[in-house]
């Protein structure tokens, strides 16, 4: 028998939702993406794309466009905050080890590439479609305009604040961590005008500075035209509010005083869920809706890409609608343990990256870092 082509609704036009739309549409399914916002809007700025994501993106026919738009940043330097001493490298030799480079990219460019790919594959994408209620048993969605959506499968890719996940598990919510992320974008001209910074944009670069309870990750994006800086550590910000303006005096107190403006957000994460699917398996969670994690392995978006590929691969085995339940169970079985392990490691890195000066920090600094970035 030929594979069954399903009617799939995806809620959310972020990186995970658009990746799922592309994979599923390329497999012949009828895919419709609904997005509450009125346009594409990706918060944040820089993002890292590791070889595990690029292998999947290559299978979608997107390697060349990502290599064109991204910056090849294969070696990240680890430095000590006090004196800039190089502690080691990680992510070295990714091309030799995994056949793909590590890329750094502007998040908006990442989202736009996937949007174009989903549209080209035949997915429809509608904006201004806010979900106001969910029947998790059928399942079905009711939109703000009164429309009711029923599909063979509904994929909730609506982020860390997922309304659909909240309907499935009302007592489980994302929780704030002690850390905030402060994000700065500097232009190449700004960097070149400062002798202390100019060397960082002469070629692709990625640097991590470790300090007490804080660390900085900084790298080039849009080739060498922009420099993305994320400063992570204790701070105050509202949970669920993205790109909140930050007080530069607050930033200068703890980090550097280079920037003209800065934005911040509270870093939050999601507890492990009992399941990623409803009772009949025709409603599934994907990406941050299922496993929102701290960014301390740079794997949040990549795990959503993996979700999309596995879900599409499982559904390719469907011969009838009765198969959906066991195939979405297979999706959960394959993905849940891995994503939760990466989430736990990311949380653990909060301590490792921010050890205060002392014996533990000295022991960490003596360790040679592996190619995958783990300690």
């Amino acid at each position: 028998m030929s594979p069954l082509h399903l009617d799939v609704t995806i809620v959310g036009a972020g990186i995970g939702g658009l990746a799922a739309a592309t994979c599923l549409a390329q497999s012949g399914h009828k895919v419709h993406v609904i997005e509450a916002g009125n346009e594409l809007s990706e918060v944040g700025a820089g993002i890292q794309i590791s070889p595990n994501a690029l292998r999947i993106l290559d299978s979608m026919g997107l390697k060349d466009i990502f290599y064109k738009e991204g910056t090849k940043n294969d070696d990240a330097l680890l430095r000590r905050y006090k004196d800039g001493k190089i502690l080691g490298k990680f992510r070295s030799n990714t091309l030799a080890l995994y056949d793909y480079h590590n890329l750094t990219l502007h998040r908006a460019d990442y989202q736009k590439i996937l949007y174009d790919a989903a549209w080209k594959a035949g997915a429809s994408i509608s904006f201004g479609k806010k979900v106001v209620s969910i029947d998790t048993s059928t399942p079905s969605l009711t939109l703000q305009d009164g429309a009711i959506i029923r599909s063979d499968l509904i994929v909730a890719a609506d982020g860390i604040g997922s309304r659909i996940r909240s309907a499935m598990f009302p007592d489980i919510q994302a929780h704030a961590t002690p850390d905030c992320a402060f994000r700065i974008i500097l232009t190449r001209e700004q960097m070149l005008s400062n002798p202390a910074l100019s060397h960082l944009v002469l070629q692709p670069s990625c640097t991590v500075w470790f300090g007490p309870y804080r660390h900085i990750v900084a790298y080039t994006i849009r080739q060498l035209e922009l420099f993305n800086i994320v400063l992570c550590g204790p701070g105050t910000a509202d949970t669920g509010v993205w790109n909140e303006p930050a007080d530069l005096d607050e930033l200068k107190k703890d980090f550097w005083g280079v920037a003209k403006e800065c934005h911040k957000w509270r870093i939050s994460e999601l507890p492990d869920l009992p399941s990623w699917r409803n009772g009949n398996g025709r409603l599934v969670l994907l990406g941050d809706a299922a496993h929102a994690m701290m960014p301390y392995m740079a794997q949040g978006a990549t795990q959503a890409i993996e979700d999309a590929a596995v879900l599409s691969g499982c559904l390719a085995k469907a011969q009838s609608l009765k198969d959906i339940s066991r195939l979405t169970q297979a999706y959960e079985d394959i993905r849940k343990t891995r994503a939760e392990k990466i989430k736990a490691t990311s949380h653990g890195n909060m301590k490792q990256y921010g050890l205060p000066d002392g014996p533990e920090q000295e022991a960490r600094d003596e360790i040679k870092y592996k190619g995958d970035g783990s300690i």
Side-chain angles (χ1 to χ4, degrees):
M1 294 178 63
S2 300
L4 181 67
H5 292 159
L6 302 173
D7 183 4
V8 182
T9 296
I10 298 173
V11 182
I15 287 172
L18 292 172
T22 304
C23 288
L24 291 166
Q26 287 181 344
S27 296
H29 300 291
K30 181 181 178 182
V31 180
H32 184 48
V33 180
I34 57 173
E35 164 60 40
N38 293 320
E39 59 184 1
L40 284 181
S41 178
E42 183 59 75
V43 297
I47 191 169
Q48 300 185 55
I49 309 179
S50 50
N52 48 324
L54 276 165
R55 187 177 303 278
I56 295 168
L57 296 168
D58 188 11
S59 73
M60 297 158 63
L62 301 176
K63 184 183 81 169
D64 290 346
I65 184 65
F66 273 102
Y67 274 12
K68 177 183 176 183
E69 297 297 329
T71 303
K72 296 173 182 176
N73 255 323
D74 288 333
D75 294 318
L77 287 179
L78 305 172
R79 293 182 178 271
R80 180 153 165 75
Y81 78 104
K82 272 189 174 180
D83 54 12
K85 176 185 175 182
I86 296 176
L87 305 176
K89 290 183 179 181
F90 72 97
R91 280 202 326 257
S92 297
N93 303 317
T94 56
L95 186 61
L97 289 169
Y98 308 115
D99 297 326
Y100 295 93
H101 291 284
N102 194 86
L103 301 183
T104 51
L105 193 73
H106 198 291
R107 292 185 71 99
D109 298 338
Y110 198 163
Q111 187 185 33
K112 183 61 166 57
I113 291 170
L114 292 174
Y115 173 87
D116 290 343
W119 182 84
K120 182 178 179 181
S124 65
I125 305 170
S126 300
F127 294 94
K129 302 295 183 181
K130 183 178 180 180
V131 175
V132 294
S133 67
I134 303 100
D135 178 346
T136 60
S137 59
T138 310
S140 66
L141 308 172
T142 301
L143 304 185
Q144 193 171 44
D145 60 11
I148 297 176
I149 295 176
R150 297 181 180 88
S151 297
D152 297 330
L153 179 70
I154 295 174
V155 180
D158 50 342
I160 189 172
S162 172
R163 182 184 292 268
I164 295 173
R165 184 194 65 240
S166 294
M168 294 170 64
F169 306 109
D171 297 329
I172 302 178
Q173 301 296 328
H175 60 263
T177 71
D179 280 5
C180 286
F182 298 81
R183 190 261 296 159
I184 299 166
I185 294 287
L186 297 177
T187 66
R188 177 177 171 83
E189 288 71 24
Q190 288 175 301
M191 295 289 288
L192 290 174
S193 69
N194 188 314
L197 302 178
S198 59
H199 68 283
L200 294 170
V201 292
L202 297 179
Q203 60 186 6
S205 70
C206 180
T207 308
V208 182
W209 288 267
F210 289 155
Y213 306 107
R214 296 161 173 81
H215 71 278
I216 299 172
V217 181
Y219 47 79
T220 47
I221 57 175
R222 289 186 174 162
Q223 305 308 323
L224 303 177
E225 292 307 308
L226 296 175
F227 197 68
N228 182 74
I229 306 165
V230 182
L231 312 98
C232 297
T236 57
D238 293 332
T239 301
V241 178
W242 306 103
N243 282 350
E244 178 182 346
D247 183 347
L248 281 174
D249 289 335
E250 175 186 8
L251 185 69
K252 292 173 183 177
K253 180 177 67 176
D254 290 330
F255 296 108
W256 335 332
V258 181
K260 301 298 183 184
E261 65 176 9
C262 176
H263 294 85
K264 65 179 179 179
W265 60 91
R266 171 70 66 184
I267 296 175
S268 300
E269 62 182 355
L270 190 65
D272 292 349
L273 299 175
S275 177
W276 288 7
R277 55 200 288 277
N278 72 334
N280 65 12
R282 293 175 64 171
L283 170 61
V284 298
L285 303 174
L286 183 145
D288 279 356
H291 49 69
M293 61 187 67
M294 300 187 80
Y296 298 161
M297 281 191 70
Q299 281 289 304
T302 289
Q303 289 310 294
I305 298 292
E306 289 188 6
D307 290 348
V310 171
L311 179 62
S312 180
C314 289
L315 293 176
K317 304 294 185 181
Q319 301 291 333
S320 74
L321 293 179
K322 292 180 180 179
D323 292 333
I324 294 175
S325 181
R326 69 176 181 84
L327 294 174
T328 56
Q329 182 64 62
Y331 158 69
E332 178 178 313
D333 291 344
I334 293 167
R335 289 294 306 140
K336 191 170 184 291
T337 299
R338 172 172 166 79
E340 289 173 355
K341 181 179 180 181
I342 290 173
K343 181 175 63 173
T345 303
S346 297
H347 187 94
N349 282 346
M350 175 174 61
K351 176 183 177 182
Q352 286 295 323
Y353 292 177
L355 288 172
D357 292 348
E360 279 190 284
Q361 164 261 318
E362 292 171 0
R364 179 204 64 195
D365 291 355
E366 290 177 0
I367 295 173
K368 292 184 179 181
Y369 282 73
K370 304 175 185 178
D372 62 2
S374 61
I375 294 175

